[in-house]
Amino acid sequence: MTSSLTQRSSGLVQRRTEASRTAAADKDRGSGDEDFEPRRGEEQHEQDTGDSKETRLTLMEEVLLLGLKDREVICKSDAPTGDVLLDEALKHVKETQPPETVQSWIELLSGETWNPLKLHYQLRNVRERLAKNLVEKGVLTTEKQNFLLFDMTTHPLTDNNIKQRLIKRVQEAVLEKWVNDPHRMDKRLLALIFLAHSSDVLENAFAPLLDDQYDLAMKRVRQLLDLEPEGESTKTNANELLWAVVAAFTK
């Protein structure tokens, strides 16, 4: 009991500290500084699209950035998407007969299969490849750190504005812009919330919140997690693949 209270207290201090830093940063910018204050139209556009025109992140890149973690799947189109990891995964899906289920593909692509004959499906070095993508987009940089007998490559954050916009989008989805209906939520943002939770990085987006906001945000996330994917997938205009993936991650 004492340990639980201590951890909760520590979390409150962390959130208060983050909130104070955010408020201080906003104050330092000043309301008249045009270098930091975008025009209202541009700001709204960035909020609607999620990122600036120069920096468009994939879902997996956003999940990684926050951490700084049965239907058959049939490939309907083999046209390249421009995302190397996604194209690699789609190539496996297209060439595999008979089709595998969503649950099976998650296990195969992540390398968690017990079948040695299917280990070649595993996507290799995913975290490092995502980090390199973010380096190319100017979000991260690459450094070498010495740890006694060996050097380790690290990727520190260089553009905190992009991460803060991402955190704001996640927070607003379950606070100011909460619609209390997953089918009215932006599907990409809904997928991000589920994936971030499954990767144990969703908590990072809520750390800067005050206590009451944090509790409300977590309550609404729990509402989403408690949904029955099978039932949700049968509703009008539902994205069946999204709910199949949710079912695989939350089972």
Side-chain angles (χ1 to χ4, degrees):
M1 179 64 174
T2 303
S3 174
S4 176
L5 289 174
T6 302
Q7 292 177 355
R8 175 62 175 165
S9 176
S10 175
L12 294 179
V13 171
Q14 181 185 16
R15 287 194 293 279
R16 288 183 181 127
T17 302
E18 291 291 341
S20 299
R21 288 175 179 169
T22 302
D26 291 341
K27 183 177 180 181
D28 289 341
R29 284 203 300 266
S31 59
D33 192 339
E34 295 183 356
D35 292 336
F36 292 94
E37 198 69 30
R39 288 176 294 179
R40 183 173 299 275
E42 294 174 348
E43 181 180 16
Q44 183 62 43
H45 174 72
E46 288 187 2
Q47 290 175 353
D48 293 341
T49 59
D51 297 297
S52 65
K53 292 181 180 179
E54 293 77 13
T55 310
R56 297 298 176 89
L57 307 184
T58 66
L59 268 174
M60 293 177 69
E61 290 168 356
E62 290 180 337
V63 173
L64 177 65
L65 191 57
L66 282 176
L68 281 166
K69 271 166 131 305
D70 297 332
R71 294 179 181 81
E72 293 179 343
V73 179
I74 301 175
C75 190
K76 293 184 177 180
S77 172
D78 58 358
T81 66
D83 182 285
V84 177
L85 282 168
L86 181 56
D87 286 341
E88 185 178 333
L90 290 176
K91 183 175 184 292
H92 285 313
V93 173
K94 178 176 180 291
E95 296 176 351
T96 300
Q97 292 296 331
E100 298 279 358
T101 64
V102 171
Q103 179 68 49
S104 295
W105 275 120
I106 290 175
E107 294 173 355
L108 293 172
L109 296 174
S110 63
E112 295 181 357
T113 178
W114 291 97
N115 189 340
L117 299 179
K118 294 187 176 183
L119 289 177
H120 66 283
Y121 287 120
Q122 181 181 0
L123 299 180
R124 307 288 179 176
N125 305 314
V126 172
R127 183 182 179 86
E128 181 63 22
R129 291 163 72 181
L130 289 172
K132 287 183 178 179
N133 288 346
L134 290 174
V135 169
E136 293 177 359
K137 294 178 179 181
V139 181
L140 306 181
T141 187
T142 302
E143 293 182 358
K144 293 282 188 179
Q145 290 190 4
N146 182 269
F147 292 90
L148 298 178
L149 300 178
F150 59 92
D151 290 335
M152 178 178 288
T153 301
T154 61
H155 298 287
L157 184 67
T158 57
D159 191 340
N160 193 52
N161 289 332
I162 291 178
K163 182 174 182 179
Q164 291 308 311
R165 285 202 298 269
L166 174 60
I167 289 175
K168 183 179 180 182
R169 284 170 51 213
V170 174
Q171 291 176 351
E172 287 181 340
V174 293
L175 291 174
E176 295 94 334
K177 296 183 179 180
W178 174 249
V179 293
N180 200 30
D181 180 356
H183 299 281
R184 292 171 55 203
M185 292 180 65
D186 177 80
K187 290 181 174 58
R188 193 178 190 282
L189 190 51
L190 180 63
L192 174 60
I193 291 174
F194 279 115
L195 290 175
H197 177 268
S198 298
S199 303
D200 293 325
V201 298
L202 185 58
E203 175 81 12
N204 295 352
F206 300 146
L209 296 174
L210 298 177
D211 299 344
D212 56 342
Q213 293 176 314
Y214 174 86
D215 291 338
L216 181 58
M218 292 304 296
K219 176 183 178 182
R220 288 171 173 171
V221 168
R222 175 46 57 189
Q223 286 181 232
L224 294 174
L225 296 175
D226 288 342
L227 293 171
E228 176 51 54
E230 189 68 27
E232 297 300 326
S233 68
T234 63
K235 295 184 178 179
T236 305
N237 297 323
N239 186 314
E240 292 186 30
L241 182 57
L242 185 153
W243 290 108
V245 173
V246 170
F249 275 113
T250 59
K251 65 181 298 183

